[in-house]
Amino acid sequence: MTGPAADSADAGQRPELTGLEHDFEGTIASERRIEPRDWMPDAYRKTMIRQIAQHAHSEIIGMQPEGNWVTRAPSLRRKAILLAKVQDEAGHGLYLYSAAETLGADREDLTNRLITGAQKYSSIFNYPTLTFADVGVIGWLVDGAAICNQVPLCRSSYGPYARAMIRICKEESFHQRQGYELLLTMMRGTEAQREMVQDATNRWWWPSLMMFGPPDAASPNTEQSMRWRIKRHTNDELRQRFVDMTVPQAEALGVTLPDPQLRWNDTRGNYDFGAVDWDEFKRVVSGNGPCNAQRIAHRRAAHEDGAWVREAAAAHAAKRSEAAA
Ligand code: FAQ
């Protein structure tokens, strides 16, 4: 597809638009990628910016729950692992903000939308991390759910997002294993450690299922995003996949998932599971979860404290370009 010529056609000439739309649909249908300079419908651009920005915000806010344990990790080894993981999340956030910029989004504007609550981030990061077992359970369940949701996004129709996902998924996989390894170690420890793991599992299980988004019948974006091949599976399909994948892992670990209705269904070839509390989900997404205010206040303070760094970097860049001129 073409770039600048397409843009000017987009600006005014109605008949051309049909051809551009046709090219766009053809690119999607033939499993090629839409690239930044290609023409795309405004609604596609808007949807991509929304999803990528929310994803980036989630990675950045997602540093806080585990970051809470960096200074209190039980050993130097665990501290080094945790620091590296939290740094990876920062990297994912920056990578994703760059992908959003390829669509014309402005980074400063995205940050403002996050800290004013105008744009969402994942509900999961509004829950507190009460013990060190939470660090392991976040790796196991939260990164596990993230991988389940994000591996299909490696085939998403927007090129820069799909490519970013490949690297991100590799790192998330590593995070998931470190979480599981931490939990295996704790389960081999004392009774008190096993109780901590069970307690953390009880608290994080249902919020992890909410990460996949509202049920399909209540998901306004799924149908169009599937048509555009941004999403490859519905929210409910991925939630089911995650449950099926996680039950055997819980058994191997020796913890119970807090759902009395969880059982294998031979006819469906899947696990049946109980009802997610969608009222809780709505409360958390609308800003009233246990840690929403704290997460945003922390991010806002970091942004304000960093103002002098941004000013200094801009002054330095201006001096360099003056010197080069
Ligand atoms: N929390 O119509 P749908 C991670 C919003 S990264 C908050 O179904 P869609 C790494 C949704 O955005 C985790 N909001 O929407 C890590 C939409 O908003 P709108 C983040 C939610 O886009 C691990 C509205 O509700 N991952 O974990 C949630 O088709 C460990 C209606 O929903 C991604 O962002 C939610 N759970 O499907 C970091 C992956 N669910 O339009 C640190 C990419 C839905 O009203 C530690 N995103 N909403 O403004 C996606 O795959 C999709 O955007 C979905 C939602 C599946 C999240």
Side-chain angles (χ1 to χ4, degrees):
M1 292 178 76
T2 50
D7 289 343
S8 57
D10 183 26
Q13 298 164 26
R14 196 91 185 114
E16 270 293 279
L17 207 73
T18 314
L20 291 169
E21 277 175 341
H22 180 76
D23 283 354
F24 171 81
E25 299 291 342
T27 302
I28 301 229
S30 60
E31 292 289 341
R32 283 174 294 133
R33 300 278 168 265
I34 303 297
E35 296 298 339
R37 296 184 60 186
D38 291 341
W39 181 90
M40 62 189 86
D42 285 346
Y44 177 89
R45 187 184 297 276
K46 212 170 142 210
T47 295
M48 275 325 312
I49 292 177
R50 174 187 63 80
Q51 178 163 329
I52 299 174
Q54 287 177 358
H55 193 167
H57 299 330
S58 304
E59 298 280 359
I60 296 297
I61 297 286
M63 295 163 72
Q64 292 185 37
E66 292 162 287
N68 177 35
W69 282 94
V70 168
T71 56
R72 293 174 291 156
S75 68
L76 187 59
R77 177 172 174 266
R78 292 292 172 197
K79 191 194 285 264
I81 292 170
L82 188 53
L83 267 174
K85 181 183 192 280
V86 173
Q87 279 180 354
D88 282 354
E89 283 149 12
H92 298 172
L94 300 187
Y95 216 31
L96 288 163
Y97 282 128
S98 299
E101 283 175 317
T102 67
L103 288 154
D106 174 70
R107 174 78 170 274
E108 183 74 16
D109 176 54
L110 295 181
T111 302
N112 280 330
R113 282 168 192 257
L114 168 65
I115 62 183
T116 56
Q119 221 163 29
K120 298 183 175 75
Y121 59 90
S122 183
S123 50
I124 191 75
F125 302 117
N126 292 306
Y127 292 86
T129 41
L130 303 182
T131 72
F132 197 69
D134 290 44
V135 169
V137 169
I138 289 178
W140 173 38
L141 296 181
V142 177
D143 283 281
I147 296 163
C148 202
N149 166 257
Q150 288 169 33
V151 164
L153 294 175
C154 297
R155 294 185 296 118
S156 180
S157 56
Y158 187 58
Y161 189 47
R163 290 188 288 275
M165 278 304 130
I166 294 171
R167 176 178 174 164
I168 291 175
C169 284
K170 285 191 176 141
E171 294 184 351
E172 305 282 31
S173 256
F174 195 65
H175 295 170
Q176 202 256 359
R177 281 154 199 239
Q178 72 77 34
Y180 199 72
E181 187 270 342
L182 165 54
L183 297 178
L184 280 173
T185 306
M186 290 187 78
M187 291 303 282
R188 284 194 296 262
T190 63
E191 194 48 39
Q193 285 175 304
R194 279 188 286 278
E195 279 169 16
M196 278 164 68
V197 175
Q198 183 61 60
D199 170 62
T201 304
N202 293 347
R203 287 181 288 106
W204 289 91
W205 173 248
W206 291 107
S208 298
L209 295 190
M210 295 174 196
M211 284 176 73
F212 294 92
D216 294 349
S219 163
N221 300 301
T222 293
E223 197 186 328
Q224 181 62 73
S225 288
M226 298 269 290
R227 253 203 312 269
W228 278 331
R229 301 195 187 172
I230 295 170
K231 286 169 88 163
R232 297 286 175 154
H233 305 278
T234 71
N235 299 353
D236 286 332
E237 282 166 7
L238 292 174
R239 194 170 2 258
Q240 179 71 62
R241 187 180 285 188
F242 174 68
V243 171
D244 292 348
M245 173 183 111
T246 308
V247 173
Q249 294 171 358
E251 283 164 4
L253 197 56
V255 294
T256 308
L257 295 173
D259 179 358
Q261 292 180 50
L262 191 64
R263 68 180 58 86
W264 179 253
N265 181 325
D266 233 353
T267 322
R268 290 201 310 122
N270 294 112
Y271 282 91
D272 288 337
F273 57 99
V276 175
D277 182 350
W278 292 114
D279 288 337
E280 175 180 325
F281 173 75
K282 281 184 204 140
R283 267 198 313 279
V284 175
V285 172
S286 60
N288 299 311
C291 299
N292 295 58
Q294 180 188 331
R295 301 288 184 241
I296 291 294
H298 193 73
R299 179 67 191 92
R300 185 194 293 272
H303 185 65
E304 284 164 7
D305 290 349
W308 69 271
V309 180
R310 292 190 296 280
E311 278 161 26
H316 180 66
K319 270 194 194 157
R320 279 183 68 138
S321 61
E322 252 172 50

